[in-house]
Amino acid sequence: MENLLLQALSGLASASSLFLVASGLTVIFGVSRVVNFAHGSLYMLGAYLAFTLVTQLPRGHLGFWGGVVGAAIIVGLIGVVVEVLLLRRIYRAPELFQLLATFGVVLIVQDLALMTWGAQDLLGPRAPGLRGSTEILGLRFPLYELFLIGVGPVVLGLLWLLFHRTRWGTLVRAATQDREMVGALGVNQRMLFTSVFFLGSLLAGLGGALQLPRESVNLHMDLSIITEAFVVVVVGGLGSLSGAALAALLIGELHAFGILVLPKITLVLVFLVMALVLVVRPHGLLGKPEAAARGGQGSAAPLIGPAPPALRRLGLAALAVAVLLPPFLGDYALSVLTEMAILVLFAASLHLIMGPGGMASFGHAAYFGLGAYGAALAGQWLGAPMLAGLALAPLAAGIFGLVFGFFCVRLSGVYAAMLTLAFAQIAWSVAFQWVELTGGDNGILGVWPDRWAAPKLVYYYLALVLCLGATLLLRRVIHAPFGYALRAQRDSTLRAEAIGIDAFRIRWLGFGLAAAAAGIAGGLFAYAKGSVFPTYMDIPRSVDALLMVLLGGVHTLSGPIVGALALTGLQEQLVRITDYWRLVLGSIIVLLVLFFPQGLAGAARARWEARHGDA
Amino acid sequence: MATLEVAGLEKSFGGVRAVQGVSFAVHPGEMLALIGPNGAGKSTCFNMLNGQLRPDAGTVRLLGREITGLAPRQVWRLGVGRTFQITATFGSMTVLENVQMALLSHHRRLGGLWRPVARLDAAPARALLGRLGMADQAERPCGILAYGDLKRVELAIALANEPKLLLMDEPTAGMAPQERVALMALTAEIARESGIAVLFTEHDMDVVFSHADRILVLDRGRLIAEGAPAAVRADPNVREVYLGSGAVTGAH
Amino acid sequence: MTGRAIGRRQILAGAGVAALAAPNLARAQATPIRIGEINSYTAQPAFLQPYRNAWILAQEQVNAAGGINGRPIETIFRDDAGKPEDAVRLAGELVNAERVSLLAGGFLSNIGLALADFANQNRRLFVASEPLTDALVWSRGNRYTFRLRASTYMQSAMLVEEAAKLPAKRWATVAPNYEYGQSAVRWFKELLTRAKPGVEFVAEQFPALGRIDAGATVQALAAANPEAIFNVTFGADLTNFVRQGSTRGLFERRRVVSLLTGEPEYLDPLGDEAPEGWIVTGYPWEQIDTPSHTPFREAYRKRWNDYPRLGSVVGYDTVMAIAALLKKTPSTETEAMVDAMAGLQFNSVFGPIEFRAIDHQSTMGAFVGRTVLKNGKGAMADWRYADGKDYLPSDDVVRTLRPQA
Ligand SMILES: Nc1ncnc2c1ncn2[C@@H]1O[C@H](COP(=O)(O)OP(=O)(O)OP(=O)(O)O)[C@@H](O)[C@H]1O
Ligand SMILES: [Mg+2]
């Protein structure tokens, strides 16, 4: 009994820490609709800065608490800098585009933190006056954890007062409910956004700083917190503070008690919770459906016409190079080209969902990975030859795409995206934990191509034919009635339903089709690498796909192709040139985002249209 | 037989009783106007007729068949075309493509994965646009169209499934006065020609009194008058509702 | 903060592909022998910076001594960012584009396995330095793969020897939830049960790697009231576990047996909160004064103005093993190198070791001892060197564990 109580208290302490980070994220999202990937980086910076300040300032209460608060404020200011220099310029870009920018910031911060604080974990001092423990029912419980348990509700209370008792807070709430209205009220929107970023970043920094007496400060803090923070925000309901608090509580406690029963549940628990909550409540626990977009203004998406002759020539030239050059290349260049071809298809498959489909997916790697595992498992357990494996890949991915998609496409926006992430993480954890079947994190080895396809050149052509074929097929689909129906439901579900289009069904089938295409890419990838690992369907790979699509441009058909080539090309080169490739890549992404807010292909298109009159 | 029969329709939003006990019928080829001040419940009525909203009570019959509670896309398949008060078109498509989508859906060809839309149902779509005087706009993106033209596109879309009933929520809003009259004249002509029953709302009394065969007046969710234009114009209740606005009398 | 200075300098060194070795190149006229080294530098910098520092040191020493029959060695470092699929691609690059003679490296087990499979498929020698997984040399071992470091099995076996001496009967385990943690726990349970029938495992915790919820984990372990705990967590997880555990009194009146915790990589970040009295495997660098270790330590200090970590030993000895190999074979032809590698003996920082012909595992050992606090820092006491060759199963057992080879 005492043990259970202490377990509950431990859960509360974690919940409280989680809430601090999530509250900042939800406030920022609520007002600006920015999916701020860099929130975890701000959290990490909070911890590092607190370490520096607390160890530099004189010991004692003033030094410690001063350091913590100082770190939070500095992080708040860093958030302001990011908002003013970067995000403010791209609020009008297509949905989720800001995610690309914040991801660039993540990369930059990772390397800057490494340069500034070094690689070794740093153990900060404990909080003065809260070093020890106290007895609760005869068991010892750390004072600092008790303190943390108190901090969550206090911060929640302060935020509540701020939002309900000040004019600024009222504006923030109004903006959260209806962005356009605040613009119409003549409020200085810029100041509002900037101040919200300050507050949100400050909360992230505070969350990080308060971990100092609890955890070592390390370079992995950013990514280890960000997904969980997002889960809390989404489970609670986007933009809802009390929702975030409730979700943090739920997750903290489920975690604390879950490990008593199933110690290995930690890997996937939060995602199971999220999947369940979203299936039952599509807007999270306390979220409200977004104010319906005002009709009549039409969608910002451009027309889709036949490729202009110039683009056609360019495509043909690229194709000629892709076909004619490789015989003169070495094995390594061939394997890079093979990988590029595969990733082009992977990006194109996500693009079908994001562009014409108007949905977002944070878990597209699931289908890539399921394709890879489908092929590898068929080879390992059934002795299937490569071609059979490659045929099975889209089948496996497509079936799971339909199953997962059935739930995901009912939701909208970030909720849908996060549900795809939840399913992807569940699939990932199965691959990771079902060691007997999948080999766990050690993966499946020996997935090499059949003898005839073993030469790198042959395999390259095989991959080129399949990937290019599938990519062109997707393109064809976009020009066909089905693709138009996808766009129709994206442009106006109201109108689509009013002319007999079953929007759910179209989205669902589109999702399945995209999953199957990603499966082909995954299957080819498995044989190209000779092995399959859970990393094929982990979050970084899903993020890669997102980055490729966004970098290329969501609203152009060539976008995913350009984006995939640009991102893999850049990464491949940078990793070989410099140890600080993350810093360089992050900076390049940030610059591209600033100069080409429609993506690379989008920018090229805009330029072309400007020169040739409107399309 | 009446094309549409409505009986005892009710709808509340929280405390607001938007529509209360509304009953009426529309006949083939008839132009029936539903008028009433802002917030009277006209759009709510429309939304219940085409399945966008589920009525709290009452029934909707189309050609004798009960359609209450069906989804909009099912109602559409049974032959109900609709335009919206705030236009809803596909902004990333051309005018022609918008109409093609309606035609393709009507012909159940939306599952196609291979043949490009450009080659499908283009001729009938052009013909429809030609009929509405939109032929020269066919290739323009809907996203940049003037509001009045969007209304016309909506009408073209609504006509694409050879409807038996046309629901038009403020079809001429945003148009110049002469345009309005012309569009409604055209609509009436098409309706009579094809035996389409038309139910429309309109704030412009010129349009209403010159084109409606019959008029329903809605106020705070209730039908307060129904009949031929002249009778409605003379109705004291209606005058009461529109008092001060001068809308009813001022039209002439 | 020495770590910071090292960080910067090390990066410079790495960026220039062992550019710091350049002066030595001038002396050797012949074309260099190229080694391709792949590791998770950006994903695991804390462990791999000291590793690479020592690697560069070793390479400089080898080249200063005239290289291999007059040919200098040269290393091309690649960062796999913690992804096995990238490691495989880079392996292809190193072999095909950079024309390296052999591959080395690997820190994470899955990357080690991916590289081993690549080596097998492409018939290239792969000298795995760090990855601990037993599969690398046993269940998935292959002709072309050799491993330097004492494996999960070996280190678990070393600790079981000590654990069996304890009176404790009720054990709890805590390990990160991935292959390394799982197999360490599996071996520990199996070997301890064999060594001491009657022990009982009353609780196990498997926090996600790098994301331990330390408070709840500690509480869950305490609730089972074990007499002793076997810990496999490391890095940030270990730090958090120790902090929560000490404050909550989890370690009082309980023995803790802990894998790798005596390595400076993991012990040093704990500072004055390092736990006392844990039985650990590790590397008491400041206390080992042997003819093979002392010069290494001093050279490392001189070169990098820092003390060596265990990773440094691994990096250094990987180079020395490769150098010994290259001196033994007349050519850098793969099959010849592989043949020479089997049974290769050389003098490591820890003394003479051998790459066993039977399973390609080296006999490098580890230090087993007790943690103490000394001058406000964790250190090892009462340690002894456990020679790896004494902690490997019998040849018959190894043959069943490595059926394919
Ligand atoms: N979705 C809704 N939720 C809550 N109240 C609604 C909703 N839709 C309509 N109402 C309310 O129902 C009443 C009727 O609205 P409706 O839009 O049907 O009026 P209308 O006659 O079409 O007005 P207008 O001439 O301005 O278009 C109004 O009071 C409106 O505020
Ligand atoms: Mg209305």
Side-chain angles (χ1 to χ4, degrees), chain C residues 162-358:
Chain C
E162 300 299 320
K165 295 178 193 157
L166 299 175
K169 285 233 180 292
R170 288 167 59 85
W171 284 81
T173 64
V174 54
N177 190 7
Y178 73 112
E179 199 266 351
Y180 163 64
Q182 287 155 7
S183 32
V185 167
R186 200 177 56 242
W187 285 129
F188 185 83
K189 280 181 166 179
E190 190 181 318
L191 296 176
L192 185 62
T193 315
R194 209 183 298 159
K196 197 173 170 188
V199 291
E200 185 186 5
F201 288 88
V202 294
E204 58 178 19
Q205 281 300 318
F206 283 101
L209 176 63
R211 289 192 289 121
I212 191 172
D213 186 348
T217 305
V218 164
Q219 210 62 52
L221 289 174
N225 198 20
E227 292 165 298
I229 296 169
F230 176 56
N231 166 60
V232 194
T233 65
F234 59 91
D237 288 337
L238 174 72
T239 318
N240 304 346
F241 177 65
V242 167
R243 264 207 164 158
Q244 291 283 346
S246 329
T247 324
R248 293 174 194 236
L250 177 68
F251 310 132
E252 287 166 22
R253 296 181 307 280
R254 289 198 179 99
R255 298 311 301 267
V256 180
V257 171
S258 190
L259 263 182
L260 311 188
T261 309
E263 295 174 6
E265 280 92 332
Y266 308 116
L267 198 54
D268 292 354
L270 285 164
D272 61 356
E273 299 192 27
E276 288 196 274
W278 286 21
I279 298 166
V280 297
T281 59
Y283 170 44
W285 59 273
E286 74 286 20
Q287 305 168 51
I288 308 172
D289 295 311
T290 60
S292 50
H293 183 260
T294 311
F296 159 74
R297 184 178 59 210
E298 296 319 316
Y300 187 90
R301 265 191 207 267
K302 197 157 157 258
R303 177 69 177 83
W304 298 107
N305 192 24
D306 193 11
Y307 59 93
R309 318 294 205 279
L310 184 71
S312 317
V313 174
V314 175
Y316 187 87
D317 276 340
T318 306
V319 176
M320 289 306 176
I322 291 169
L325 162 75
L326 293 173
K327 282 183 186 144
K328 191 173 154 192
T329 54
S331 81
T332 55
E333 192 269 319
T334 298
E335 300 301 328
M337 285 196 295
V338 168
D339 289 335
M341 198 70 193
L344 178 79
Q345 301 181 350
F346 79 104
N347 227 331
S348 80
V349 168
F350 291 167
I353 63 175
E354 175 188 345
F355 282 90
R356 304 178 354 144
I358 186 171

Side-chain angles (χ1 to χ4, degrees), chain C residues 102-140:
Chain C
L102 72 156
L103 294 168
F107 177 82
L108 302 171
S109 291
N110 54 5
I111 293 182
L113 287 168
L115 288 174
D117 196 47
F118 174 91
N120 192 34
Q121 183 72 12
N122 294 278
R123 297 168 193 282
R124 293 286 166 168
L125 173 60
F126 171 46
V127 182
S129 46
E130 293 247 12
L132 290 174
T133 179
D134 301 299
L136 194 65
V137 292
W138 291 347
S139 65
R140 299 186 192 184

Side-chain angles (χ1 to χ4, degrees), chain A residues 7 10 14 124 126 140 145 212-213 215-216 220 259 332 441 443 446 448 529 535 541 576 579 581, chain C residues 43 52 79 85 93 110 113 117 121 140 177 179 205 213 216 219 239-240 243-244 247-248 252 273:
Chain A
Q7 202 69 20
S10 302
S14 305
R126 298 198 182 212
R140 271 160 60 179
E145 304 282 294
L212 199 59
E215 305 190 344
S216 69
H220 298 287
I259 62 170
Y332 173 63
D441 49 312
W448 296 104
K529 295 289 174 185
T535 51
R541 185 157 292 279
R576 293 199 288 151
D579 275 4
W581 60 268
Chain C
R52 183 153 65 178
D79 171 28
E85 61 270 33
E93 189 236 349
N110 54 5
L113 287 168
D117 196 47
Q121 183 72 12
R140 299 186 192 184
N177 190 7
E179 199 266 351
Q205 281 300 318
D213 186 348
Q219 210 62 52
T239 318
N240 304 346
R243 264 207 164 158
Q244 291 283 346
T247 324
R248 293 174 194 236
E252 287 166 22
E273 299 192 27

Side-chain angles (χ1 to χ4, degrees), chain B residues 13-14 16-19 36-45 53 85 169-170 203 218:
Chain B
F13 297 107
V16 183
R17 302 190 63 184
V19 173
N38 290 116
K42 305 180 294 287
S43 296
T44 306
C45 263
L53 283 176
Q85 177 171 357
D169 202 348
E170 304 199 10
H203 283 295
L218 200 60

Side-chain angles (χ1 to χ4, degrees), chain A residues 19-71:
Chain A
F19 168 72
L20 283 186
V21 192
S23 63
L25 194 58
T26 208
V27 168
I28 289 179
F29 182 88
V31 173
S32 69
R33 294 289 183 276
V34 170
V35 175
N36 184 11
F37 239 73
H39 202 69
S41 308
L42 296 171
Y43 167 84
M44 178 170 81
L45 283 178
Y48 270 114
L49 286 168
F51 178 86
T52 301
L53 289 178
V54 169
T55 48
Q56 300 294 322
L57 292 171
R59 287 182 163 255
H61 281 285
L62 198 65
F64 184 88
W65 300 111
V68 166
V69 172

